Structure formats: structure tokens, C-alpha cells
Amino acid sequence: MSDNLTTLAYLPTIISFILALKFLSSPKHARLGNQLGAIGMALAIAVTLAQKHFYGLGYMLIAVGGLIGGGIGWVGARKVKMTDMPQMVAIFNGVGGGAVALVALVEFHQTAAEPGRMLLNVSIAIIVSALIGSISFAGSMVAFGKLQGLVGDRPIVWRGQRVGNIIILLIGITAGTFILGGHSYQLMWLLLIEIAAALAFGILFVLPIGGADMPVVISLLNACTGLSASAAGFELRQNVLIVSGMLVGSSGSLLTLMMCRAMNRSLGNVIFGAFGQIQTGPSTAASNEGLTVRATTAEDVAIMLAYAHKVIIVPGYGLAVAQAQHDVRQLADLLTARGVNVEYAIHPVAGRMPGHMNVLLAEANVPYTQLKEMDEINPEFPQTDVSLVIGANDVVNPAARSDKSSPIYGMPILDVDKSKAVVVLKRSMNPGFAGIENHLFYEPETSMLFGDAKDSILKLIAAVKAV
Amino acid sequence: MSGNTAVFLAELTVLILAIFLGIEVISKVPTLLHTPLMSGTNAIHGIVIVGAILIAGQNLHSTLAQIVGFFAMILAGANVVGGFAVTDRMLEMFKGK
């Protein structure tokens, strides 16, 4: 196949990817869009295989490697629990970045050996894709380790960390820059140094970031892999990679910024802030003195819920950890059958990745029409009889509105404290994922239902049935 | 060089357009679907499989290139298949009333 014909044959793939993203604007067509994207990808693979005559062993390597990788991907995708989705996205993202770096390595190995063959723009593309792809690979693997509990969830910090990280990154960039003017016998070493520095930087920049900020990091690394794939397009002279990679790069960057905005923090603060460190001091404990919490029983809550007009359920990650999504839906169904208006308030950063909570509730067959975004539901809290907070903490913390000393000050929150009554389902009084004290629990309209979320909800279901 | 420059400028133009296109399509995605959005874009950057195929298949005389290409195929294959499959699994669950 001629190069022009190949470029033409890749066009339907580009269109299918754009449609895949466009169709995500509504849950009605989203699945169709993703399937179109998959067809586009299959087409791109077929076109690539048809484009050149590979030698026999080459076909073998492609087929066997693709089948092994595809098989692993398929099994992982089928088996993964929805609560573990952030890890899954992190690891698929990492392997993508790793593939980009390996492609750059081989392209370089093949072209650099022949002096004069490397065009400046191709060299730069190789250097950039190797750098970003390696950072993305290593960073994603650490993010995976943290989310999977293999690496400590809390931020890992040490003295001189930021400076050290920047120096390592600069070593990588410098090695890459020297490639442009280096002698041919040095080139491979320089690239390997660059990749090693990038891998180290990827590991070290994710290590100090706490679990609460992982949604932002995964989104950022996703954008990075997209960028690196786009750079790979410049090195292989394939528009399909340039466009597809950049679609991911720009959309991922935008999503990252949206996540930061939902937490009212800058990207720099997320990456360098080592969130979750500040609040552990004794001062917060002292500020609780003299405050009391009101514990309640499932029977009392059941009566409140059963005679309410409007109930808003605020699910947090604690709900998912307790695997109580299905039971919550059953409780909501019971209340709906009694004529109670039940809705779910979903904070943009609820769960471990953007939109995670929606997926978990969709898995429990909650219709997406009941899932309300923060801006949509916040005006409804004053008319709400009971807000049922299940395993959520920081996203309902009024300190974000009022307490300037709080680390989450300025973060948009769900205004549950404005509803007539608040019931918080919580295991104990331990602070939440980000380790910040929550004064909502001490408000007079708030009552606490202590215990495992699943047990509490099962008790509520039984009690509502008995009302 | 002029041939390369012309091609490079065309590539650059395409890149710039893709930046704005990406932002444009994504800004219309509701937060409801942000997780499938992330895993869906994840699958799309699996397009690097095109590069993996080229390096695994073309480099007849270099064992290093063959070995690295083989691993690149494994990684890219996992990215593509896993990315699309897991996104499909999630989107299947979103149902209206």
C-alpha cells in the first residue's frame, strides 16, 4: 500500500475516535461511540498490517505479542471490580506510555545508527515521546501501587524532595537535548540516560501525592500518555497517531484542570503540595473539645426517612468500600414506593477518580436520571427533609466554605448542612480519607448512625419496612 | 529538507487542530461520564499499537529491535483491548428510568 493510500485509510479511524468522544456527551449513545472507536482501532491495525510486507518472524512477533497483551487486557477488563476502576485505568494508561517509550527506543536505535538519516523534527519527537512516555509509565505504575494498597496510601515525603525531583527531570531533559548535537556513538547512551531519569522522575513525583489526589494524577498521566503518543506520530510520520494522541492529550489536560477546580486547588499544589500531611497535628483534636455528637438508631432514622417528602442520598467512597451500593438502591426503592422523592447528590471528586461514584451506582442499577451533579442539586438542599450521608466526608465539610485555615477551604462542597436534617452513616469518628476534621458531625441538625455502612443500611431497610 | 519541512508543517497544523477539537468535544461530556471518558481516552491512546506493529514487524536485522518490539506489542495490545473492553463494560451499566 502506498503511503498516501495508508494515510487515507487511517482517516475513518480518526473520525471514529472523534465520534467516540462526541457520543460521550450523553449516556444514551456513549456505548455506541465506544464501540465505533473500537472498530476504528481494529481498522487502523488492519491497515498497518496491510501497508507493508513484514517478514515471517515479524508477523509472529506482532501476533503473539498482541494476543498476549490483548488477552491480559481482556481478562483484566472483564474481572476488575468497579471499585478498582482507578487502578485499572492507571495500569492501562501506564502500559500505553511504556509502549510509546519502547517504540521511541527502537526507532532511535534504527535511525540514529545511520548518520544524516535523522531529521531534526524526528529526533525531537523521539526525545519527547521517550521522555513523556517513560514518565507516564513509571508514574502510572506507582499510582496503581498506591491505589491497590501495595505502596503506602499516605503521601511519602522527604527532605529536598522537590529540588531532587526537578534535578532528575533536568538530567533527563539535558540528556535528551545533547542527543541533538551528540556524536553517533554517544547517542544510545544519552537516550538510555534520558529514559532512566524519566522513569525515576515518574516514580518520585507520584510517591509524595496522597490517595485523595489520585484522581487528578491519573487524569494528568492519561493526558501525558496521549501527548507522548502524539509525539510518536511525529517520529513515525503518521497523522493518525498525532491526532488521536493529541485528542487524548488535550481532553485529558482539560479534565485534569476541571478536577483541580472541583477541589479548588492549582495543579502545582496537587503535585507538589503533599496533601494530607498538614491536618495530622494535635491542634485539630483540641478544637473539638466541648463539642458533642448525637448518635442515633436505625429505627429513628427509618421514621425520619419514611415520613420525609424529599431525601437526598450523598454517597462517598465509604459506601463503595462497604459494597453497599445495591442495598442503598433497595432502600431508595422502598422510600420511592412510599412516595418519598429520592435523589443522589454526586460530588465531582466523590470516589477515587472523576465520575467514579456514578459508575458504582450505575452498577447497582440506579437510573442515571436520579444522579445529580453538585451544581444542580445544591439549590435543593434547603427544601430537603433528610440528607443521608453515606461514607462521604470531605465533600460535605462546611469548613470548605467558612474555615480559612482548613486545607480544603474554598473547595466547592455539597451543602448538606442546609437541609432540615442530616444523618451521617459512619464507622467511627475517625477523620476521612484526607484526614480533615468535619464540624458537620457536631451540628445540632446532624445525627450520626455509627457502624459498617452495609450493616446500617440493611438495618434501615428492615426498619423502614416495619414503619 | 524542504519536503520534510512541508510535511512537518502539515503535521503541526493537524496537531493544533486536534488540541482544540479535543477540548471542544470533552467540554460537552457530563461529570456523570467522566470515568468512562478517562478509560475511553485511555483506549484511544492505544493507537500507539500502530507504532508497535511497525517496529516489531519491520526490523529484520536487529534482535534488540525485535525483542523490544515484541514487548511493545504486549503493552499496546493490553492498552487497546483492556481500554475498550472496560469502557464498554461501564457504559453498558448506565441505564435511564
Side-chain angles (χ1 to χ4, degrees):
Chain A
M1 224 190 272
S2 80
D3 283 356
N4 285 341
L5 195 58
T6 310
T7 307
L8 189 66
Y10 281 138
L11 275 183
T13 300
I14 294 178
I15 295 170
S16 80
F17 289 166
I18 294 170
L19 287 178
L21 294 177
K22 197 171 162 48
F23 280 20
L24 271 171
S25 56
S26 150
K28 278 190 201 123
H29 317 116
R31 192 179 180 205
L32 174 68
N34 184 59
Q35 289 164 343
L36 279 177
I39 293 170
M41 185 67 81
L43 187 69
I45 293 170
V47 169
T48 313
L49 287 171
Q51 155 193 20
K52 298 244 164 61
H53 285 291
F54 300 133
Y55 59 106
L57 178 63
Y59 281 117
M60 278 287 289
L61 292 172
I62 292 166
V64 176
L67 284 175
I68 293 174
I72 295 169
W74 176 261
V75 172
R78 289 283 122 190
K79 289 265 160 78
V80 65
K81 281 188 282 180
M82 286 298 149
T83 39
D84 293 340
M85 195 50 67
Q87 292 95 300
M88 191 92 282
V89 170
I91 203 152
F92 286 153
N93 186 49
V95 295
V100 169
L102 293 182
V103 170
L105 190 65
V106 172
E107 271 303 295
F108 190 79
H109 178 67
Q110 295 308 101
T111 51
E114 298 164 46
R117 256 198 68 187
M118 286 234 295
L119 298 162
L120 180 65
N121 51 323
V122 174
S123 311
I124 294 176
I126 290 178
I127 294 162
V128 169
S129 68
L131 186 81
I132 305 180
S134 304
I135 292 175
S136 197
F137 172 74
S140 299
M141 291 305 150
V142 176
F144 169 81
K146 283 197 162 223
L147 290 162
Q148 190 71 24
L150 303 173
V151 187
D153 194 35
R154 293 274 157 186
I156 299 169
V157 286
W158 56 89
R159 193 185 289 270
Q161 191 170 31
R162 270 183 229 181
V163 180
N165 288 359
I166 289 168
I167 289 173
I168 289 169
L169 182 62
L170 283 179
I171 291 173
I173 293 172
T174 312
T177 316
F178 278 169
I179 289 173
L180 297 176
H183 297 291
S184 57
Y185 63 88
Q186 303 169 327
L187 295 180
M188 204 60 203
W189 280 111
L190 286 168
L191 188 69
L192 290 175
I193 291 170
E194 182 201 322
I195 289 177
L199 290 172
F201 176 77
I203 294 170
L204 295 173
F205 108 87
V206 179
L207 268 184
I209 300 174
D213 285 337
M214 274 305 145
V216 182
V217 176
I218 297 175
S219 178
L220 179 68
L221 291 170
N222 193 32
C224 282
T225 306
L227 276 180
S228 66
S230 188
F234 280 90
E235 102 201 8
L236 297 164
R237 322 259 24 187
Q238 300 286 3
N239 274 348
V240 68
L241 272 102
I242 296 178
V243 175
S244 316
M246 203 57 229
L247 280 175
V248 181
S250 71
S251 64
S253 305
L254 180 68
L255 187 59
T256 308
L257 294 175
M258 282 161 76
M259 284 303 104
C260 291
R261 207 178 303 151
M263 299 162 85
N264 190 43
R265 296 172 52 210
S266 70
L267 185 58
N269 183 263
V270 170
I271 293 173
F272 299 115
F275 196 49
Q277 280 283 296
I278 325 146
Q279 316 75 16
T280 46
S283 60
T284 45
S287 68
N288 300 330
E289 275 173 25
L291 294 169
T292 51
V293 294
R294 193 154 58 94
T296 184
T297 62
E299 287 69 27
D300 287 347
V301 178
I303 290 168
M304 286 167 74
L305 293 173
Y307 292 104
H309 291 291
K310 185 173 174 67
V311 170
I312 294 178
I313 297 173
V314 182
Y317 192 67
L319 171 81
V321 171
Q323 291 289 328
Q325 305 95 296
H326 291 85
D327 307 301
V328 168
R329 201 215 62 221
Q330 210 191 328
L331 176 65
D333 287 351
L334 268 179
L335 294 173
T336 309
R338 292 185 61 105
V340 182
N341 177 5
V342 182
E343 285 176 327
Y344 297 80
I346 316 286
H347 193 275
V349 293
R352 284 292 191 277
M353 68 186 290
H356 194 191
M357 196 50 65
N358 298 298
V359 172
L360 297 174
L361 291 170
E363 188 191 17
N365 291 319
V366 175
Y368 62 77
T369 43
Q370 287 179 11
L371 306 174
K372 303 287 175 175
E373 296 180 12
M374 180 171 63
D375 294 339
E376 195 183 346
I377 198 118
N378 263 348
E380 294 184 29
F381 279 109
Q383 296 96 49
T384 301
D385 301 297
V386 186
S387 288
L388 195 61
V389 180
I390 308 170
N393 192 343
D394 299 323
V395 297
V396 295
N397 191 342
R401 280 199 313 259
S402 55
D403 179 5
K404 283 194 174 148
S405 66
S406 171
I408 58 166
Y409 177 72
M411 175 174 111
I413 57 160
L414 292 162
D415 297 330
V416 292
D417 55 328
K418 294 187 177 161
S419 52
K420 290 166 196 158
V422 181
V423 176
V424 179
L425 271 62
K426 211 172 174 319
R427 186 178 287 275
S428 69
M429 282 308 288
N430 287 337
F433 195 43
I436 302 162
E437 196 59 57
N438 192 340
H439 280 265
L440 175 71
F441 306 154
Y442 307 100
E443 296 293 331
E445 78 271 14
T446 304
S447 40
M448 309 289 294
L449 184 57
F450 289 113
D452 175 72
K454 195 180 174 82
D455 285 347
S456 295
I457 291 163
L458 290 175
K459 279 183 201 155
L460 281 176
I461 290 172
V464 168
K465 279 182 183 160
V467 169
Chain B
M1 187 62 195
S2 67
N4 172 52
T5 310
V7 174
F8 176 65
L9 288 178
E11 289 170 346
L12 207 57
T13 310
V14 163
L15 178 83
I16 302 293
L17 290 174
I19 294 175
F20 284 95
L21 186 59
I23 292 173
E24 193 58 33
V25 279
I26 290 322
S27 54
K28 296 189 178 66
V29 176
T31 55
L32 174 75
L33 293 177
H34 273 177
T35 294
L37 168 66
M38 279 180 69
S39 76
T41 53
N42 219 331
I44 289 175
H45 67 51
I47 190 69
V48 69
I49 197 165
V50 166
I53 292 173
L54 292 177
I55 61 162
Q58 279 184 331
N59 294 302
L60 180 56
H61 300 296
S62 165
T63 314
L64 172 75
Q66 288 168 349
I67 293 170
V68 178
F70 177 69
F71 281 105
M73 273 309 296
I74 294 179
L75 296 182
N79 186 171
V80 167
V81 176
F84 281 113
V86 87
T87 309
D88 187 66
R89 210 181 126 201
M90 275 192 276
L91 290 173
E92 189 187 2
M93 301 184 315
F94 280 91
K95 294 186 186 81
K97 276 249 160 85

